[in-house]
Amino acid sequence: MKYEPTCLEIFLTRLAFLLCGKSVYQAFADRLPLDGGEQVLDFGCGMGTVAYYIAKKLPHGHLTCLDISERWLNTCQKTLRGYRNISFMLWEFPHFINESFDVVYCHFVLHDITESELKRVIPVLAEALKPGGVFVFREPFNETNKISLIKRLAEQNGLISKDSRITDIPMMGNALECVYFKK
Ligand SMILES: C[S@@+](CC[C@H](N)C(=O)[O-])C[C@H]1O[C@@H](n2cnc3c(N)ncnc32)[C@H](O)[C@@H]1O
């Protein structure tokens, strides 16, 4: 569901990014399997909290930052100004070339999406991955029903579970991080 953030929400997110950027977002970025030349999609990039760290890891690759919100996408462009290896995309469903990404990640996005929308989104993300590509999501641990649905949809769309971990996020509690690959 499309939702535009308020100025206060953007301000608070910036503050959280300044205070917890390394421990929350960089830690997640560091675990993604990147060598520097990959094509990567940040689905639901927000202000670019994770993208800020990913962009530095792709000297020969490319990062696509996608969001449903024009305002978040504009904020993300400001966070990432100066980088040349990034493009910005407003989510217009469906919009990708199939098998074009090595890595697709969703950081605190999918639990906010309705079940019916997830049934449309996950197949598109799976199709957008190259064979051998990696899909990673991190969502609040207590969103058990949504997480079960996301996992089921991932598997129904040809993604194979590779790894998962629980991480503790300051002020937000536990989060579940799951890694899938496409055969
Ligand atoms: C909680 S924020 C997380 C932002 C960022 N990934 C982070 O961890 O800081 C959720 C983001 O997902 C975006 N979003 C929600 N539904 C979406 C959809 N269907 N397609 C693309 N983006 C979506 C929102 O606009 C928002 O920017």
Side-chain angles (χ1 to χ4, degrees):
M1 195 169 55
K2 192 173 159 93
Y3 165 79
E4 293 295 346
T6 61
C7 290
L8 179 64
E9 202 173 337
I10 292 175
F11 171 78
L12 292 175
T13 306
R14 272 195 209 286
L15 192 63
F17 181 55
L18 286 175
L19 295 175
C20 308
K22 280 186 191 290
S23 61
V24 177
Y25 307 107
Q26 187 177 14
F28 176 80
D30 284 350
R31 287 191 288 272
L32 295 185
L34 298 175
D35 287 330
E38 291 83 0
Q39 302 291 314
V40 180
L41 172 66
D42 182 333
F43 182 82
C45 58
M47 66 157 274
T49 47
V50 178
Y52 176 79
Y53 295 103
I54 297 291
K56 301 173 199 281
K57 292 175 177 284
L58 297 173
H60 315 295
H62 187 86
L63 172 63
T64 301
C65 290
L66 179 152
D67 207 283
I68 201 170
S69 150
E70 210 164 344
R71 201 156 188 204
W72 275 130
L73 209 56
N74 288 339
T75 312
C76 187
Q77 275 174 298
K78 287 182 191 146
T79 307
L80 300 174
R81 65 182 167 268
Y83 286 97
R84 290 163 181 262
N85 55 342
I86 303 181
S87 53
F88 299 91
M89 192 187 277
L90 201 56
W91 172 246
E92 288 162 21
F93 188 88
H95 201 74
F96 306 120
I97 301 169
N98 285 355
E99 302 191 351
S100 51
F101 293 105
D102 300 288
V103 176
V104 172
Y105 67 85
C106 308
H107 190 266
F108 280 83
V109 178
L110 299 176
H111 70 280
D112 266 346
I113 298 182
T114 61
E115 290 196 8
S116 60
E117 184 69 357
L118 279 175
K119 288 177 186 163
R120 297 200 305 150
V121 166
I122 305 276
V124 173
L125 298 183
E127 273 181 24
L129 270 179
K130 295 177 187 175
V134 173
F135 173 64
V136 182
F137 68 84
R138 191 194 212 184
E139 303 294 338
F141 189 69
N142 58 7
E143 292 278 352
T144 43
N145 290 344
K146 277 284 170 67
I147 288 174
S148 300
L149 177 63
I150 296 162
K151 286 178 167 179
R152 199 163 62 245
L153 289 169
E155 280 160 22
Q156 283 169 0
N157 285 279
L159 302 180
I160 293 158
S161 174
K162 189 177 176 203
D163 199 7
S164 71
R165 66 170 68 217
I166 297 170
T167 50
D168 182 27
I169 301 193
M171 293 175 289
M172 289 161 80
N174 283 341
L176 180 67
E177 195 174 310
C178 294
V179 181
Y180 286 78
F181 73 95
K182 184 168 171 176
K183 262 206 282 192

